[in-house]
Amino acid sequence: MSGAPDLAHVVAGFRSWRVASGRLMSPYIPCRWDGRVIHAECFDANRVLQQGRGWLREPHCSPHPGCQCGIYAYDRPGLRSYYGEVWWCEGVITAWGRLVVHASGWRAEHARVEALAVPELGDPRLVDAVGAIAERLGVALVERSELDSVAEAAGGLVPEALRP
């Protein structure tokens, strides 16, 4: 018998994506967000990229507390990009299923894009690309200053009592 879940509702968080070929791309693994909803997997490519450090070799459900797999989100908005890369956007996602909570965010089993923020980097081509992605996904394109209120309306952040 398993225990009751700590949460019985979706939670919201913030994340960044690379923008490539009109699609949202996970920043650190080879994962394209083709639709609004994504389901976590532990990609073999992750183990290769990290030479196995932090990744489990045996099959497991994602996210797993002993692995780095899962759909990542943070507790605060803010671009998390590689130095020098400029085709990035940020937004709000909601998550459900298994969650592994960290000090600055969480990893989830399932997630859905709720909104994308207008990039503030001044490149109108990037703004147009992110707007087209938001339209294709059927999500709002909001000002960056609105991300906190979007997250609250979408389900709220992980409660303080569940954070390490």
Side-chain angles (χ1 to χ4, degrees), residues 45-125:
N46 295 341
R47 284 182 281 286
V48 173
L49 290 170
Q50 296 291 316
Q51 300 171 351
R53 289 185 304 271
W55 299 92
L56 297 177
R57 291 188 186 276
E58 63 275 358
H60 57 277
C61 295
S62 182
H64 188 284
C67 193
Q68 294 183 38
C69 60
I71 303 161
Y72 280 74
Y74 295 93
D75 293 330
R76 284 187 231 113
L79 275 177
R80 283 132 179 114
S81 61
Y82 290 120
Y83 178 77
E85 287 191 2
V86 295
W87 276 66
W88 287 77
C89 72
E90 59 184 313
V92 173
I93 63 172
T94 51
W96 63 97
R98 282 183 306 280
L99 286 180
V100 176
V101 180
H102 300 278
S104 63
W106 43 261
R107 297 181 284 133
E109 180 179 9
H110 309 286
R112 183 171 79 173
V113 180
E114 299 298 341
L116 298 177
V118 176
E120 296 179 339
L121 299 176
D123 186 337
R125 296 173 302 150

XYZ file of all heavy atoms in Angstrom, residues 45-125:
646
model
N 20.668 9.669 -23.784
C 21.618 10.726 -24.147
C 22.093 11.496 -22.922
O 23.228 11.965 -22.888
C 20.976 11.693 -25.142
N 21.248 11.609 -21.909
C 21.643 12.326 -20.694
C 22.829 11.645 -20.023
O 23.765 12.292 -19.574
C 20.492 12.394 -19.700
C 19.338 13.200 -20.221
O 19.501 13.995 -21.147
N 18.178 12.980 -19.670
N 22.777 10.327 -19.925
C 23.862 9.585 -19.288
C 25.162 9.764 -20.075
O 26.235 9.896 -19.508
C 23.490 8.107 -19.166
C 22.495 7.850 -18.052
C 22.179 6.379 -17.918
N 21.226 5.925 -18.910
C 19.933 6.195 -18.893
N 19.441 6.934 -17.932
N 19.128 5.734 -19.810
N 25.061 9.767 -21.396
C 26.247 9.933 -22.235
C 26.832 11.331 -22.049
O 28.038 11.486 -21.862
C 25.904 9.678 -23.720
C 27.083 10.014 -24.617
C 25.466 8.235 -23.925
N 25.967 12.357 -22.091
C 26.447 13.732 -21.954
C 27.140 13.970 -20.619
O 28.096 14.724 -20.530
C 25.288 14.720 -22.106
C 24.698 14.849 -23.505
C 23.417 15.670 -23.459
C 25.692 15.470 -24.462
N 26.631 13.342 -19.569
C 27.187 13.537 -18.223
C 28.145 12.422 -17.817
O 28.531 12.337 -16.663
C 26.047 13.624 -17.195
C 25.141 14.802 -17.388
C 25.862 16.094 -17.066
O 26.569 16.191 -16.074
N 25.698 17.093 -17.908
N 28.481 11.536 -18.754
C 29.368 10.397 -18.497
C 28.872 9.584 -17.310
O 29.641 9.096 -16.496
C 30.804 10.876 -18.308
C 31.315 11.592 -19.537
C 32.653 12.265 -19.319
O 33.157 12.359 -18.206
N 33.237 12.738 -20.396
N 27.546 9.481 -17.209
C 26.921 8.666 -16.177
C 26.770 9.328 -14.820
O 26.058 8.811 -13.963
N 27.417 10.468 -14.591
C 27.366 11.110 -13.273
C 25.956 11.634 -12.984
O 25.435 12.457 -13.720
C 28.354 12.261 -13.205
C 29.808 11.830 -13.178
C 30.737 13.015 -12.993
N 30.557 14.040 -14.009
C 31.202 14.073 -15.182
N 32.069 13.130 -15.489
N 30.996 15.049 -16.041
N 25.355 11.132 -11.902
C 24.040 11.600 -11.487
C 22.869 10.933 -12.176
O 21.728 11.282 -11.922
N 23.134 9.979 -13.035
C 22.065 9.311 -13.785
C 22.063 7.826 -13.441
O 23.111 7.186 -13.387
C 22.283 9.482 -15.283
C 22.256 10.923 -15.686
C 23.320 11.772 -15.781
C 21.109 11.691 -16.016
N 22.910 13.022 -16.150
C 21.543 12.996 -16.307
C 19.743 11.413 -16.099
C 20.679 14.021 -16.674
C 18.889 12.417 -16.470
C 19.351 13.709 -16.745
N 20.895 7.269 -13.241
C 20.768 5.842 -12.967
C 20.879 5.049 -14.259
O 20.372 5.469 -15.301
C 19.415 5.543 -12.313
C 19.164 6.172 -10.953
C 17.749 5.844 -10.481
C 20.188 5.681 -9.941
N 21.508 3.897 -14.197
C 21.637 3.048 -15.385
C 20.434 2.127 -15.570
O 20.069 1.808 -16.683
C 22.906 2.204 -15.296
C 24.167 3.016 -15.407
C 25.376 2.078 -15.502
N 26.606 2.823 -15.474
C 27.160 3.385 -16.530
N 26.585 3.288 -17.687
N 28.291 4.049 -16.421
N 19.848 1.675 -14.466
C 18.747 0.729 -14.569
C 17.448 1.455 -14.935
O 17.278 2.632 -14.625
C 18.569 -0.063 -13.271
C 18.197 0.750 -12.062
C 19.386 1.366 -11.337
O 20.541 1.147 -11.738
O 19.147 2.094 -10.363
N 16.511 0.774 -15.603
C 15.227 1.406 -15.964
C 14.478 1.875 -14.716
O 14.523 1.224 -13.670
C 14.461 0.274 -16.656
C 15.495 -0.699 -17.072
C 16.612 -0.594 -16.076
N 13.828 3.020 -14.835
C 13.079 3.575 -13.709
C 12.056 4.578 -14.220
O 12.134 5.039 -15.349
C 14.027 4.250 -12.711
C 14.856 5.332 -13.324
N 16.022 5.083 -13.998
C 14.677 6.674 -13.382
C 16.532 6.206 -14.444
N 15.736 7.202 -14.087
N 11.112 4.885 -13.357
C 10.130 5.916 -13.679
C 10.775 7.277 -13.467
O 11.609 7.446 -12.587
C 8.898 5.776 -12.788
S 7.986 4.256 -13.056
N 10.360 8.228 -14.278
C 10.918 9.578 -14.190
C 9.859 10.534 -13.662
O 8.697 10.431 -14.059
C 11.371 10.012 -15.589
O 11.947 11.277 -15.561
N 10.223 11.433 -12.746
C 11.539 11.634 -12.167
C 11.814 10.634 -11.055
O 10.892 10.148 -10.403
C 11.450 13.046 -11.599
C 10.026 13.189 -11.196
C 9.245 12.399 -12.221
N 13.064 10.373 -10.845
C 13.495 9.471 -9.784
C 14.408 10.254 -8.845
O 15.264 11.007 -9.312
C 14.245 8.281 -10.392
C 14.559 7.211 -9.421
N 15.569 7.313 -8.489
C 13.989 6.006 -9.233
C 15.614 6.219 -7.774
N 14.672 5.394 -8.198
N 14.235 10.088 -7.528
C 15.070 10.844 -6.588
C 16.568 10.585 -6.735
O 17.380 11.446 -6.418
C 14.591 10.395 -5.207
C 13.313 9.687 -5.415
C 13.246 9.262 -6.851
N 16.960 9.414 -7.236
C 18.365 9.084 -7.385
C 18.936 9.410 -8.752
O 20.064 9.043 -9.055
N 18.165 10.088 -9.586
C 18.586 10.410 -10.943
C 18.337 11.903 -11.183
O 17.679 12.562 -10.382
C 17.797 9.554 -11.937
S 18.433 9.559 -13.627
N 18.844 12.418 -12.277
C 18.621 13.820 -12.615
C 17.485 13.999 -13.624
O 17.258 15.098 -14.111
C 19.908 14.425 -13.190
C 21.020 14.498 -12.187
C 22.249 15.157 -12.769
O 22.162 16.103 -13.534
N 23.411 14.645 -12.416
N 16.773 12.942 -13.945
C 15.737 13.002 -14.969
C 14.474 13.714 -14.460
O 14.292 13.913 -13.269
C 15.392 11.600 -15.455
S 14.764 10.490 -14.166
N 13.633 14.077 -15.394
C 12.371 14.735 -15.073
C 12.255 16.065 -15.782
O 13.193 16.536 -16.429
N 11.104 16.665 -15.690
C 10.832 17.962 -16.306
C 11.101 19.025 -15.248
O 10.423 19.064 -14.229
C 9.380 18.028 -16.811
C 9.119 16.886 -17.790
C 9.113 19.395 -17.448
C 7.646 16.587 -18.000
N 12.065 19.868 -15.517
C 12.522 20.844 -14.537
C 11.713 22.137 -14.576
O 11.313 22.597 -15.645
C 13.985 21.215 -14.805
C 14.983 20.203 -14.295
C 15.158 18.985 -14.948
C 15.753 20.470 -13.181
C 16.090 18.064 -14.493
C 16.687 19.555 -12.716
C 16.848 18.347 -13.382
O 17.766 17.442 -12.925
N 11.541 22.719 -13.402
C 10.976 24.067 -13.270
C 11.612 24.704 -12.036
O 12.145 24.011 -11.165
C 9.466 24.033 -13.122
N 11.530 26.024 -12.002
C 12.114 26.785 -10.897
C 11.024 27.531 -10.153
O 9.929 27.751 -10.659
C 13.160 27.773 -11.432
C 14.332 27.056 -12.047
C 14.367 26.784 -13.410
C 15.391 26.622 -11.258
C 15.432 26.099 -13.972
C 16.455 25.938 -11.813
C 16.468 25.679 -13.173
O 17.512 25.000 -13.717
N 11.350 27.948 -8.927
C 10.400 28.661 -8.074
C 10.317 30.149 -8.375
O 9.450 30.828 -7.856
C 10.761 28.478 -6.598
C 10.584 27.042 -6.150
O 9.718 26.344 -6.700
O 11.327 26.618 -5.250
N 11.236 30.649 -9.186
C 11.226 32.069 -9.551
C 11.469 32.215 -11.038
O 12.238 31.453 -11.615
C 12.347 32.805 -8.810
C 12.005 33.055 -7.369
C 13.051 33.935 -6.701
N 13.444 33.240 -5.479
C 14.643 32.721 -5.255
N 15.595 32.841 -6.122
N 14.891 32.112 -4.124
N 10.836 33.210 -11.653
C 11.137 33.443 -13.070
C 12.575 33.908 -13.247
O 13.204 34.374 -12.300
C 10.165 34.544 -13.482
C 9.479 35.005 -12.269
C 9.874 34.147 -11.123
N 13.069 33.758 -14.440
C 14.417 34.203 -14.770
C 15.013 33.319 -15.836
O 14.894 32.088 -15.759
N 15.589 33.924 -16.849
C 16.213 33.143 -17.910
C 17.391 32.357 -17.358
O 18.221 32.894 -16.641
C 16.709 34.053 -19.033
C 15.690 34.436 -20.091
C 16.311 35.399 -21.084
C 15.137 33.224 -20.808
N 17.442 31.105 -17.690
C 18.585 30.259 -17.367
C 19.130 29.786 -18.698
O 18.668 28.801 -19.256
C 18.169 29.090 -16.485
C 17.967 29.531 -15.049
C 16.666 29.001 -14.513
N 16.476 29.403 -13.133
C 15.505 30.232 -12.779
N 14.712 30.731 -13.673
N 15.355 30.558 -11.531
N 20.083 30.526 -19.224
C 20.582 30.255 -20.566
C 22.088 30.101 -20.556
O 22.760 30.493 -19.613
C 20.189 31.394 -21.514
O 20.755 32.611 -21.087
N 22.577 29.510 -21.627
C 24.016 29.420 -21.800
C 24.568 30.808 -22.063
O 23.932 31.629 -22.724
C 24.374 28.533 -22.990
C 24.087 27.076 -22.792
C 23.219 26.405 -23.634
C 24.704 26.365 -21.772
C 22.971 25.051 -23.468
C 24.451 25.021 -21.606
C 23.592 24.362 -22.461
O 23.342 23.043 -22.294
N 25.760 31.054 -21.596
C 26.405 32.341 -21.814
C 26.553 32.587 -23.314
O 27.039 31.740 -24.051
C 27.775 32.362 -21.141
C 28.514 33.648 -21.364
C 28.165 34.787 -20.651
C 29.513 33.736 -22.311
C 28.822 35.984 -20.857
C 30.175 34.925 -22.525
C 29.818 36.038 -21.798
O 30.466 37.228 -22.017
N 26.106 33.731 -23.765
C 26.272 34.122 -25.152
C 25.134 33.735 -26.071
O 25.020 34.265 -27.163
N 24.290 32.782 -25.687
C 23.150 32.426 -26.524
C 22.019 33.406 -26.260
O 21.773 33.789 -25.126
C 22.676 31.000 -26.237
C 23.614 29.953 -26.772
C 23.001 28.576 -26.706
O 21.839 28.428 -26.274
O 23.687 27.630 -27.091
N 21.315 33.805 -27.304
C 20.272 34.808 -27.127
C 18.879 34.345 -27.541
O 17.911 35.018 -27.247
C 20.617 36.113 -27.880
C 21.847 36.754 -27.285
C 20.799 35.866 -29.361
N 18.756 33.231 -28.214
C 17.428 32.779 -28.638
C 16.824 31.889 -27.557
O 16.805 30.669 -27.658
C 17.509 32.089 -29.998
C 17.469 33.107 -31.089
C 18.417 34.050 -31.348
C 16.410 33.345 -32.000
N 18.012 34.847 -32.386
C 16.784 34.435 -32.809
C 15.173 32.738 -32.215
C 15.973 34.927 -33.812
C 14.374 33.226 -33.228
C 14.770 34.310 -34.007
N 16.344 32.540 -26.496
C 15.759 31.875 -25.341
C 14.437 32.551 -25.005
O 14.234 33.729 -25.294
C 16.679 32.015 -24.126
C 17.900 31.166 -24.225
C 19.000 31.427 -24.986
C 18.141 29.939 -23.570
N 19.919 30.423 -24.829
C 19.413 29.501 -23.967
C 17.405 29.166 -22.686
C 19.976 28.313 -23.506
C 17.968 28.000 -22.218
C 19.234 27.581 -22.637
N 13.572 31.791 -24.376
C 12.369 32.407 -23.816
C 12.071 31.729 -22.490
O 12.625 30.682 -22.177
C 11.178 32.306 -24.769
S 10.477 30.666 -24.953
N 11.219 32.349 -21.729
C 10.811 31.755 -20.460
C 9.300 31.730 -20.391
O 8.616 32.369 -21.187
C 11.422 32.492 -19.277
C 11.064 33.950 -19.188
C 11.790 34.644 -18.054
O 11.809 34.106 -16.929
O 12.321 35.728 -18.295
N 8.802 30.963 -19.444
C 7.367 30.858 -19.306
C 6.976 30.128 -18.045
O 7.801 29.860 -17.173
N 5.691 29.797 -17.978
C 5.108 29.091 -16.841
C 4.642 27.726 -17.312
O 4.026 27.605 -18.378
C 3.912 29.877 -16.258
C 3.189 29.069 -15.184
C 4.377 31.210 -15.701
N 4.945 26.699 -16.505
C 4.394 25.375 -16.741
C 3.658 24.922 -15.492
O 3.930 25.417 -14.391
C 5.462 24.328 -17.121
C 6.479 24.100 -15.987
C 6.164 24.728 -18.420
C 7.437 22.943 -16.242
N 2.716 24.010 -15.679
C 2.109 23.318 -14.546
C 2.545 21.864 -14.621
O 2.910 21.358 -15.684
C 0.570 23.402 -14.568
O 0.081 22.995 -15.845
C 0.108 24.810 -14.248
N 2.525 21.187 -13.470
C 2.976 19.803 -13.410
C 2.069 18.983 -12.518
O 1.404 19.515 -11.628
C 4.408 19.753 -12.895
N 2.082 17.688 -12.771
C 1.324 16.743 -11.962
C 2.024 15.388 -12.024
O 2.959 15.196 -12.775
C -0.131 16.644 -12.430
C -0.314 16.123 -13.818
C -0.607 14.831 -14.186
C -0.207 16.858 -15.039
N -0.676 14.722 -15.544
C -0.447 15.958 -16.104
C 0.071 18.187 -15.351
C -0.415 16.339 -17.437
C 0.099 18.562 -16.692
C -0.144 17.656 -17.709
N 1.552 14.456 -11.206
C 2.214 13.160 -11.101
C 3.311 13.231 -10.059
O 3.245 14.007 -9.110
N 4.344 12.415 -10.237
C 5.474 12.419 -9.295
C 6.225 13.736 -9.388
O 6.481 14.235 -10.485
C 6.427 11.267 -9.614
C 5.956 9.920 -9.138
C 6.990 8.834 -9.430
N 7.387 8.792 -10.832
C 6.677 8.208 -11.803
N 5.539 7.621 -11.510
N 7.097 8.217 -13.046
N 6.609 14.267 -8.234
C 7.463 15.464 -8.163
C 8.645 15.167 -7.251
O 8.476 14.529 -6.214
C 6.718 16.654 -7.553
C 5.671 17.390 -8.343
C 5.096 18.530 -7.514
C 6.211 17.927 -9.642
N 9.803 15.642 -7.654
C 10.976 15.636 -6.793
C 11.295 17.103 -6.561
O 11.641 17.832 -7.486
C 12.166 14.906 -7.442
C 13.403 14.994 -6.552
C 11.814 13.444 -7.724
N 11.136 17.554 -5.306
C 11.281 18.972 -4.979
C 12.716 19.241 -4.533
O 13.301 18.475 -3.765
C 10.275 19.383 -3.880
C 10.429 20.854 -3.525
C 8.854 19.083 -4.343
N 13.274 20.349 -5.043
C 14.629 20.785 -4.712
C 14.563 22.151 -4.029
O 13.506 22.756 -3.954
C 15.482 20.887 -5.976
C 15.598 19.595 -6.711
N 16.485 18.622 -6.363
C 14.917 19.113 -7.788
C 16.370 17.595 -7.183
N 15.410 17.860 -8.051
N 15.689 22.651 -3.626
C 15.741 23.943 -2.936
C 15.250 25.094 -3.820
O 14.626 26.029 -3.335
C 17.154 24.226 -2.444
N 15.518 25.036 -5.110
C 15.143 26.150 -5.985
C 14.085 25.794 -7.020
O 13.792 26.590 -7.905
C 16.380 26.703 -6.699
O 16.934 25.695 -7.534
N 13.503 24.607 -6.918
C 12.487 24.208 -7.895
C 12.121 22.755 -7.751
O 12.162 22.201 -6.652
N 11.788 22.128 -8.886
C 11.347 20.746 -8.850
C 11.521 20.080 -10.208
O 11.787 20.743 -11.205
C 9.902 20.642 -8.385
C 8.945 21.659 -8.965
C 8.512 22.812 -8.355
C 8.299 21.644 -10.248
N 7.654 23.485 -9.184
C 7.492 22.799 -10.350
C 8.314 20.767 -11.321
C 6.718 23.090 -11.467
C 7.545 21.048 -12.446
C 6.757 22.210 -12.502
N 11.366 18.741 -10.185
C 11.323 17.930 -11.406
C 10.009 17.166 -11.371
O 9.604 16.676 -10.321
C 12.483 16.941 -11.447
C 13.827 17.607 -11.502
C 14.965 16.596 -11.570
N 15.196 15.983 -10.259
C 15.340 14.684 -10.046
N 15.254 13.818 -11.034
N 15.565 14.226 -8.832
N 9.356 17.044 -12.526
C 8.024 16.453 -12.566
C 7.917 15.311 -13.566
O 8.734 15.169 -14.474
C 7.003 17.524 -12.925
N 6.843 14.542 -13.387
C 6.521 13.444 -14.298
C 5.802 13.958 -15.553
O 6.083 13.503 -16.656
C 5.629 12.443 -13.559
C 5.218 11.253 -14.373
C 4.356 10.284 -13.582
O 3.932 10.593 -12.444
O 4.088 9.188 -14.123
N 4.870 14.871 -15.388
C 4.088 15.422 -16.509
C 4.050 16.940 -16.374
O 3.996 17.456 -15.257
C 2.641 14.918 -16.487
C 2.522 13.438 -16.365
N 2.785 12.583 -17.405
C 2.168 12.664 -15.315
C 2.584 11.332 -17.002
N 2.217 11.357 -15.733
N 4.037 17.629 -17.500
C 3.978 19.094 -17.448
C 3.243 19.633 -18.664
O 3.149 18.976 -19.702
C 5.374 19.698 -17.369
N 2.745 20.846 -18.491
C 2.020 21.528 -19.565
C 2.416 22.999 -19.591
O 2.485 23.650 -18.548
C 0.512 21.408 -19.337
C -0.310 22.029 -20.451
C -1.741 21.696 -20.291
N -2.318 22.566 -19.266
C -3.593 22.625 -18.981
N -4.444 21.837 -19.613
N -4.039 23.434 -18.060
N 2.677 23.505 -20.769
C 2.994 24.926 -20.937
C 1.714 25.719 -20.711
O 0.667 25.412 -21.302
C 3.552 25.218 -22.351
C 3.866 26.697 -22.506
C 4.769 24.362 -22.649
N 1.778 26.743 -19.856
C 0.619 27.589 -19.578
C 0.739 28.971 -20.219
O -0.263 29.557 -20.600
C 0.422 27.730 -18.071
C 0.162 26.424 -17.350
C -1.102 25.704 -17.790
O -1.997 26.337 -18.392
O -1.207 24.490 -17.538
N 1.955 29.498 -20.307
C 2.162 30.824 -20.911
C 3.627 30.974 -21.266
O 4.497 30.359 -20.640
C 1.740 31.933 -19.953
N 3.887 31.806 -22.254
C 5.246 32.193 -22.619
C 5.377 33.694 -22.427
O 4.398 34.429 -22.596
C 5.558 31.822 -24.066
C 5.501 30.335 -24.404
C 5.754 30.117 -25.894
C 6.493 29.542 -23.573
N 6.580 34.137 -22.103
C 6.821 35.564 -21.886
C 7.434 36.184 -23.137
O 8.245 35.558 -23.822
C 7.748 35.776 -20.699
N 7.057 37.418 -23.394
C 7.654 38.180 -24.482
C 9.134 38.366 -24.155
O 9.470 38.891 -23.086
C 6.968 39.561 -24.625
C 7.659 40.396 -25.695
C 5.482 39.400 -24.920
N 10.029 37.921 -25.031
C 11.459 38.104 -24.760
C 11.815 39.583 -24.663
O 11.311 40.407 -25.425
C 12.145 37.463 -25.970
C 11.123 36.530 -26.530
C 9.793 37.169 -26.266
N 12.699 39.902 -23.739
C 13.092 41.299 -23.524
C 14.464 41.610 -24.109
O 15.069 42.612 -23.759
C 13.091 41.596 -22.019
C 11.722 41.483 -21.390
C 11.733 41.755 -19.898
O 12.806 41.639 -19.270
O 10.671 42.084 -19.362
N 14.945 40.775 -25.011
C 16.303 40.948 -25.529
C 16.372 41.892 -26.723
O 17.450 42.151 -27.231
C 16.898 39.593 -25.892
C 17.012 38.626 -24.707
C 17.510 37.277 -25.170
C 17.924 39.200 -23.645
N 15.234 42.389 -27.193
C 15.248 43.404 -28.228
C 15.313 42.901 -29.655
O 15.353 43.697 -30.572
N 15.326 41.602 -29.894
C 15.358 41.079 -31.257
C 13.926 40.813 -31.712
O 13.280 39.891 -31.220
C 16.182 39.798 -31.313
C 16.384 39.272 -32.727
O 15.577 39.597 -33.617
O 17.362 38.531 -32.936
N 13.398 41.614 -32.643
C 12.011 41.421 -33.063
C 11.760 40.055 -33.698
O 10.659 39.531 -33.620
C 11.758 42.552 -34.057
C 13.082 43.124 -34.395
C 14.033 42.737 -33.313
N 12.786 39.451 -34.290
C 12.607 38.106 -34.865
C 12.343 37.080 -33.768
O 11.525 36.180 -33.947
C 13.834 37.701 -35.680
C 14.080 38.581 -36.904
C 15.397 38.238 -37.568
N 16.472 38.407 -36.602
C 17.607 37.705 -36.589
N 17.839 36.795 -37.509
N 18.525 37.930 -35.669
